[in-house]
Amino acid sequence: DGGITQSPKYLFRKEGQNVTLSCEQNLNHDAMYWYRQDPGQGLRLIYYSQIVNDFQKGDIAEGYSVSREKKESFPLTVTSAQKNPTAFYLCASSKGPAGLAGGYLSSYNEQFFGPGTRLTVL
Amino acid sequence: GENVEQHPSTLSVQEGDSAVIKCTYSDSASNYFPWYKQELGKGPQLIIDIRSNVGEKKDQRIAVTLNKTAKHFSLHITETQPEDSAVYFCAAFMFSGGYNKLIFGAGTRLAVHP
């Protein structure tokens, strides 16, 4: 799991409640990502941040929010607006921003994942 | 939209046999293709990757091949062992939805039987 930690490992939430998932990295990576994983599907990008104080929506951002106040931290809040929040959530980081000029600087593209948080809505 | 297709979804082999997982991608401009192994309840671990300027890369018992013309790449595991049992994901780095990102295949569940 490298230098990425996620907490908690398991999380239970009642319907209508917001919940925040923690992600911390000590790899000195600029870019961080949040993915959602559902059974039988690939990872889907929720939000990503290329640098501190900046973040962008991914493919399935509705019902989620993030912040990036510190380089090492990228918390994800699952709001009550997320219709089907039960899933396995994965945080990742990479050395540099996705899409660095040239594209062949792929060391910047290597993403390292945390151990994940399994969220269950009761 | 841009996507990555991965086959098969499940694969069962005997210990010592080889396993092959195949992926195709849609964006001809993609230039980076990682493979991840995910064990139960854990995050994916990068096991090997390949850049578009090479056709093959090996690391001990695993190898990846890339055919840019056909837009497909494959993971080969030789002399499989029970500890190879896991879900394997391929991914392709491409421009989609207005930004560059990794797009993942749906995964292959590999079971290696002793």
Side-chain angles (χ1 to χ4, degrees), chain A residues 4 10 20 23 39 51 76 81 86 98 102 117-118:
Chain A
I4 303 176
Y10 299 97
T20 297
C23 177
I51 201 165
L76 173 74
T86 295
T117 292
R118 186 166 297 281

Side-chain angles (χ1 to χ4, degrees), chain A residues 63-76:
Chain A
Y64 300 98
S65 66
V66 294
S67 63
R68 187 84 188 276
E69 298 177 359
K70 297 186 295 183
K71 186 176 185 177
E72 60 269 23
S73 178
F74 191 40
L76 173 74

Side-chain angles (χ1 to χ4, degrees), chain A residues 1 9 35 37 40-43 45 48 57-59 88 90 98-99 102-104 106-107 109-116, chain B residues 31-32 36 38 41-46 49 51-53 68 87 89 93 96-102 104-107:
Chain A
D1 300 328
K9 187 173 179 64
Y35 291 90
Q37 186 176 29
Q41 297 189 38
L43 282 66
L45 184 65
Y48 70 104
K57 293 181 178 179
D59 297 326
F88 190 49
L90 288 160
Y104 278 86
S106 52
S107 61
N109 301 335
E110 295 173 17
Q111 291 188 19
F112 299 89
F113 285 84
Chain B
N31 56 22
Y32 173 63
Y36 288 87
Q38 185 177 28
K42 297 183 178 180
Q45 299 288 316
L46 179 69
D49 57 18
R51 280 66 165 174
S52 58
N53 55 344
K68 286 205 69 179
V87 178
F89 291 95
F93 189 72
S96 176
Y99 53 93
N100 290 294
K101 62 182 178 182
L102 276 179
F104 288 83

Side-chain angles (χ1 to χ4, degrees), chain B residues 70-84:
Chain B
K71 293 189 289 185
H72 69 70
F73 56 113
S74 301
L75 178 71
H76 304 253
I77 306 175
T78 59
E79 302 174 18
T80 54
Q81 301 168 4
E83 51 265 39
D84 293 329

